[in-house]
Amino acid sequence: MQRNIGGVGVGGQPWVLRRVRLTWLSFMLFFILVFFPLIAHYYLTTIDEAGGPDKPIFGRRPGGELCEAKHVQDLCRIRESVSEELLQLEAKRQELNGEITRLNLRIEACKRSIDSAKQDLLQLKNVISQTEHSYKELMAQNQPKLSLPVRLLPDKDDPGLPPPKSVRSCRLRSCFDYARCPLTSGFPVYVYDMSSYSWGDYLDPLVKQAFAASVKSNIYVTDNPSIACLYLVLVGEILETSPLPSPLELEKQLKALPYWRSDGHNHVLVHLSRKSMIQNFLYNVSTGRAAVAQSTFLEQQYREGFDLVVSPLVHALSEPNFLEVPPQVPVKRKYLFTFQGERVESLRSSLQEAPPQSFEEELEGDPPADYDDRIIGTLKAVQDSHLDQVLVEFTCKNPKPSLPTEWALCGEREDRLEVLKASTFALVIAPGDGQLVASAGSGMRLFEALEVGAIPVVLGDHSKLPYHQFIRWSEAAIIVPKPRVTELHFLLRSLSDNDMLAMRRQGRFLWETYFSTSENVLNTILASIRTSIQVPAAPIKDEPAIEIPHKAGKLAGTDANLADNGDLDLGPVETEPPYASPRFLRNFTYTAADTYRSWNRAPGPFHLFPHTPLDPVLPSEAKFLGSGTGFRPIGGGSGGSGKEFQAALGGNVPREQFTVVMLTYEREEVLMNSLERLNGLPYLNKVVVVWNSPKPPSDDLLWPDIGLPIVVVRTEKNSLNNRFLPWDVVETEAILSIDDDAHLRHDEIMFGFRVWREARDRIVGFPGRYHAWDVNHQSWLYNSNYSCELSMVLTGAAFFHKYYAYLYSYVMPQAIRDMVDEYINCEDIAMNFLVSHITRKPPIKVTSRWTFRCPGCPQALSHDDSHFHERHKCINFFVKVYGYMPLLYTQFRVDSVLFKTRLPHDKTKCFKFI
């Protein structure tokens, strides 16, 4: 029992110690976990305060002051890095603040400069305005701006004219009242309605109907007789079954006309022969001061310079079929010359005038009567010699009634034309009696010969041919005195093929222009009188442009590829404002000075058709005009120095611009890209977009702003002929016709423009083509292969004169334009045919490039498989219409050496042509 007690007592002391030790450890653990963090926190929060107020919080501290503890070192490194970044940001902020201050100062300086520049600009504008005003004043002094003159009409009260010594001696100066026809009157013409007068019932219905239709379409005819310059009276042809009025009765009826004014001055009595070759009922009729226009005249009846010899009216109401007209080539035909006719008896015995003169008296005056016998003998001898195949017949089975001493026509018109189609020359033997100075029979022979391309040979130089005062007949016919009939065969054989082709072509032009239709006959009569009294022709009408409104979008940029011209300046730095070509510079001189040239050249009679506002330049006058607006050697270029040459056009007319005419059809994206490429193009006046689609442009379409007018023209129908309409918005002579998908650089366009200014009467362009003869099929072919020889320049990228737009639209045969509409093709070929036919010169190709289509553009009409087949047909059809192939080959091409030569900018650098 004591052992156990003693064991407990001895063993309890270690247990107590263990408990005390456990309590102490718990206390120490509590102290460490609670108080040590508090003490550390206190130390860390008061450590910076121990350093004093000047010590930075995040500044560097002496070595190891706080960083002796290993776990704080990372915090110290982070703190130092952040401090460095903050210092750098602070420095950068101060730097930016300084930069902002400097920029603000510069902005203020720029504002002051802008204000100063505005003041300078305003002053410059004032100076420019004053300079332009002074320039216009100087130009007005030397060359006033011309326009259509104010129209002056005659007074209602006729002042009267002093009577001439004799009605037979009437001339314009003595029998025509110029007071009723001022130069600016516009040449108003009043035409009597023949149905209101008694002899109107005797007129041939076809003649009367054709004359009325021609009057209705004539631009000079007026319904107001009080302002008329001229009065027309249709007096024939009278029906063969109708009785001819007596001279006294006819004089009485003429004097009863309401505007006859006692003597008939300013009246023209028109007699158009259609069937009858013998009517001349105005002979022995006192016509007073009225002029007579008919086909038959006696010497005692004809008043030179006052009366007018006209051609017969063959095609009264029908248009000639150009496809039935034989071609002009080959030049030589089956017969060298032909003649079919039968001689009628003496003229004097038929007219019952003075008794016949003796042979000696005839020899002293008119040719002896037996000249016709000598002609018959000589021509029969030529026929019998068989040196050349000729056809001469001096008897007819069914001769037409003709005047005495005249050679009567044989057979029907169709039979005569068949013989003439096989004839190189056609003889026209003048009447044997010199009193018959003009006859309807001779006029009919002349008409038929010209119609089928037989060169007329007129035997008898005393005969008056139609409109001989204005037409130079020696260019289309051979006129030989009757005494030279023995040398006629030699003369005809000596002519070269080129000369014969030129005469045949001129004869075809005269026939088409002056004789072929009733409208042409009436126009020619009026043009003859108007030219005689020197009244300028009325200006031809421009095609009115119906503009489509559109809105400009973004400012067009400049294609770097198109603008990369090296150191070549294409024009002035500042875009010149639109400048129209001068107009109406030759209102009077064209009529007064160029009578023969305007009546006899191939383009068209500018005294028959109204003249164009933009004066034309054609080969016959190019050497005089040079620029197309009159030879004006003022201003000029700046010599040969390259820098000045590039900065200005120079030449005789330093100021000139061109108009771009672009045809398009529902390719808006392609069109917009093409318009943008024109931005910055020098000497561009405006862009005319011919919108050929019936569907208008999209409402949301934004057109580029190129700094110049873009005129969008609406067309009546989808026709490629619209490309060449003379739009009134085109105010320049130079037109650049370009497709909407053609790619041309600015330097190429400018080079083409400069070349065109040196050859204004020709087509100057880029894509060249040529025609070729297919021996196997005996027809013409169109060829677009690369070639060193060409005969056409396509108008998808070409310059031409606006004058040709008038000819294409108003003068060129309608059959050609109809075929262009039928195939929707060939308008470019038609323009090349027209210009080559007029000038007898080939076009000019510039640069060596052959195609200009843009990559990725929608396919055009030319990609169609039938495109080339249609163009083959077009060429052959056009040849039939013209009667020959007018296209001419050329191996000439104009390139600029500048594309290969780089010279210093201040050295000579001019365009050179190779």
Side-chain angles (χ1 to χ4, degrees), residues 651-837:
N652 295 323
V653 184
R655 294 191 67 195
E656 186 171 20
Q657 296 178 341
F658 62 91
T659 302
V660 168
V661 176
M662 187 177 296
L663 188 73
T664 186
Y665 185 90
E666 296 184 3
R667 296 198 294 181
E668 295 180 349
E669 182 179 358
V670 175
L671 174 64
M672 296 304 108
N673 293 334
S674 297
L675 292 176
E676 285 194 24
R677 288 194 294 270
L678 299 177
N679 184 39
L681 181 61
Y683 306 110
L684 178 59
N685 182 272
K686 69 177 65 168
V687 179
V688 177
V689 177
V690 181
W691 192 265
N692 227 21
S693 171
K695 184 172 63 176
S698 304
D699 295 334
D700 57 349
L701 183 63
L702 294 180
W703 296 70
D705 182 5
I706 62 174
L708 290 170
I710 297 179
V711 181
V712 186
V713 178
R714 184 192 308 274
T715 58
E716 296 182 357
K717 64 177 181 178
N718 177 21
S719 171
L720 294 180
N721 292 316
N722 296 332
R723 179 196 297 272
F724 302 125
L725 284 173
W727 301 105
D728 55 1
V729 292
V730 177
E731 300 177 313
T732 60
E733 297 182 17
I735 294 178
L736 172 58
S737 174
I738 189 170
D739 289 338
D740 57 2
D741 59 353
H743 265 220
L744 290 175
R745 299 195 309 268
H746 286 187
D747 59 310
E748 292 175 323
I749 295 176
M750 285 308 306
F751 181 62
F753 182 46
R754 289 182 180 272
V755 174
W756 177 84
R757 282 166 51 86
E758 301 292 331
R760 307 172 71 92
D761 60 330
R762 299 161 80 174
I763 297 177
V764 176
F766 301 89
R769 300 292 186 267
Y770 67 97
H771 67 289
W773 179 252
D774 186 353
V775 178
N776 297 327
H777 296 87
Q778 293 295 297
S779 63
W780 294 102
L781 297 177
Y782 170 85
N783 202 314
S784 63
N785 295 330
Y786 291 87
S787 172
C788 295
E789 194 171 56
L790 59 96
S791 59
M792 291 175 282
V793 167
L794 302 188
T795 55
F799 285 92
F800 64 90
H801 199 287
K802 186 183 178 182
Y803 169 63
Y804 294 123
Y806 294 101
L807 294 184
Y808 184 98
S809 302
Y810 304 140
V811 178
M812 188 179 70
Q814 180 63 37
I816 295 179
R817 293 190 293 272
D818 291 341
M819 190 168 194
V820 170
D821 287 336
E822 178 184 354
Y823 285 158
I824 316 180
N825 198 344
C826 306
E827 85 288 356
D828 45 3
I829 301 178
M831 177 59 82
N832 277 271
F833 265 70
L834 175 66
V835 177
S836 295
H837 170 65

Side-chain angles (χ1 to χ4, degrees), residues 38 56 203 340 349 370 482 691 699 708 723 735 813 860 895:
L38 294 176
L203 295 175
Q340 294 175 306
S349 60
D370 64 347
K482 286 186 177 182
W691 192 265
D699 295 334
L708 290 170
R723 179 196 297 272
I735 294 178
D895 287 332

Side-chain angles (χ1 to χ4, degrees), residues 3 73 100 107 165 183 204 215 271 297 332 392 417 442 540 570 582 625 638 665 674 679 689 726 763 766 845 875 913:
R3 185 177 180 175
Q73 291 180 358
I100 290 172
I107 290 174
K165 295 181 180 180
L183 291 176
D204 187 328
V215 166
H271 183 281
F297 281 101
K332 295 180 179 179
V392 290
L417 291 181
S442 298
I540 198 168
L570 300 181
L625 299 183
S638 301
Y665 185 90
S674 297
N679 184 39
V689 177
I763 297 177
F766 301 89
K845 173 176 169 51
I875 286 185
F913 304 146

Side-chain angles (χ1 to χ4, degrees), residues 402-416:
S402 299
L403 292 173
T405 75
E406 187 180 22
W407 290 88
L409 295 171
C410 293
E412 299 299 327
R413 167 177 157 81
E414 291 74 14
D415 299 331
R416 297 195 300 270

Side-chain angles (χ1 to χ4, degrees), residues 108-169:
E108 294 297 329
C110 289
K111 288 181 178 180
R112 291 191 297 269
S113 299
I114 289 173
D115 293 337
S116 176
K118 287 182 178 179
Q119 295 295 328
D120 295 340
L121 179 61
L122 183 61
Q123 294 178 2
L124 289 175
K125 287 182 177 180
N126 293 332
V127 172
I128 292 174
S129 177
Q130 295 175 1
T131 305
E132 289 179 349
H133 183 70
S134 301
Y135 174 77
K136 290 179 180 179
E137 288 182 348
L138 291 175
M139 291 297 294
Q141 293 176 4
N142 295 313
Q143 182 185 336
K145 183 179 180 181
L146 298 179
S147 61
L148 280 177
V150 178
R151 189 179 185 187
L152 299 179
L153 297 174
D155 297 331
K156 293 183 179 180
D157 298 328
D158 183 36
L161 289 172
K165 295 181 180 180
S166 171
V167 175
R168 295 293 184 184
S169 63

Side-chain angles (χ1 to χ4, degrees), residues 144-298:
K145 183 179 180 181
L146 298 179
S147 61
L148 280 177
V150 178
R151 189 179 185 187
L152 299 179
L153 297 174
D155 297 331
K156 293 183 179 180
D157 298 328
D158 183 36
L161 289 172
K165 295 181 180 180
S166 171
V167 175
R168 295 293 184 184
S169 63
C170 260
R171 298 296 182 267
L172 286 174
R173 62 182 179 272
S174 59
C175 291
F176 192 86
D177 184 9
Y178 282 86
R180 296 200 62 82
C181 303
L183 291 176
T184 60
S185 63
F187 194 62
V189 178
Y190 179 78
V191 181
Y192 287 94
D193 183 8
M194 290 298 99
S195 60
S196 304
Y197 303 96
S198 58
W199 76 79
D201 299 333
Y202 304 134
L203 295 175
D204 187 328
L206 286 180
V207 173
K208 185 165 59 174
Q209 188 177 354
F211 186 77
S214 302
V215 166
K216 186 178 297 185
S217 62
N218 194 277
I219 62 173
Y220 295 107
V221 173
T222 179
D223 295 331
N224 186 359
S226 62
I227 67 171
C229 162
L230 196 70
Y231 300 85
L232 284 188
V233 185
L234 181 64
V235 296
E237 176 178 88
I238 292 180
L239 287 172
E240 296 179 353
T241 57
S242 300
L244 294 178
S246 65
L248 293 179
E249 181 183 355
L250 188 55
E251 288 182 20
K252 183 178 179 180
Q253 293 180 9
L254 290 176
K255 292 180 179 179
L257 293 175
Y259 309 104
W260 188 259
R261 298 186 181 92
S262 73
D263 58 3
H265 63 269
N266 290 43
H267 278 64
V268 179
L269 308 181
V270 180
H271 183 281
L272 300 177
S273 300
R274 191 177 74 88
K275 285 186 176 181
S276 175
M277 302 291 106
I278 61 175
Q279 286 189 14
N280 185 18
F281 55 85
L282 291 178
Y283 181 73
N284 285 331
V285 173
S286 177
T287 57
R289 296 182 180 179
V292 178
Q294 62 182 18
S295 300
T296 302
F297 281 101
L298 297 177

Side-chain angles (χ1 to χ4, degrees), residues 563 565-576 642-650 654 656-658 680-684 746-751 753-754 898 905 911:
N565 301 309
D567 57 353
L568 178 62
D569 295 328
L570 300 181
V573 178
E574 297 295 334
T575 302
E576 192 177 20
K643 185 174 182 180
E644 290 79 3
F645 176 82
Q646 296 165 17
L649 284 175
E656 186 171 20
Q657 296 178 341
F658 62 91
L681 181 61
Y683 306 110
L684 178 59
H746 286 187
D747 59 310
E748 292 175 323
I749 295 176
M750 285 308 306
F751 181 62
F753 182 46
R754 289 182 180 272
L898 289 180
H905 190 70
F911 286 109

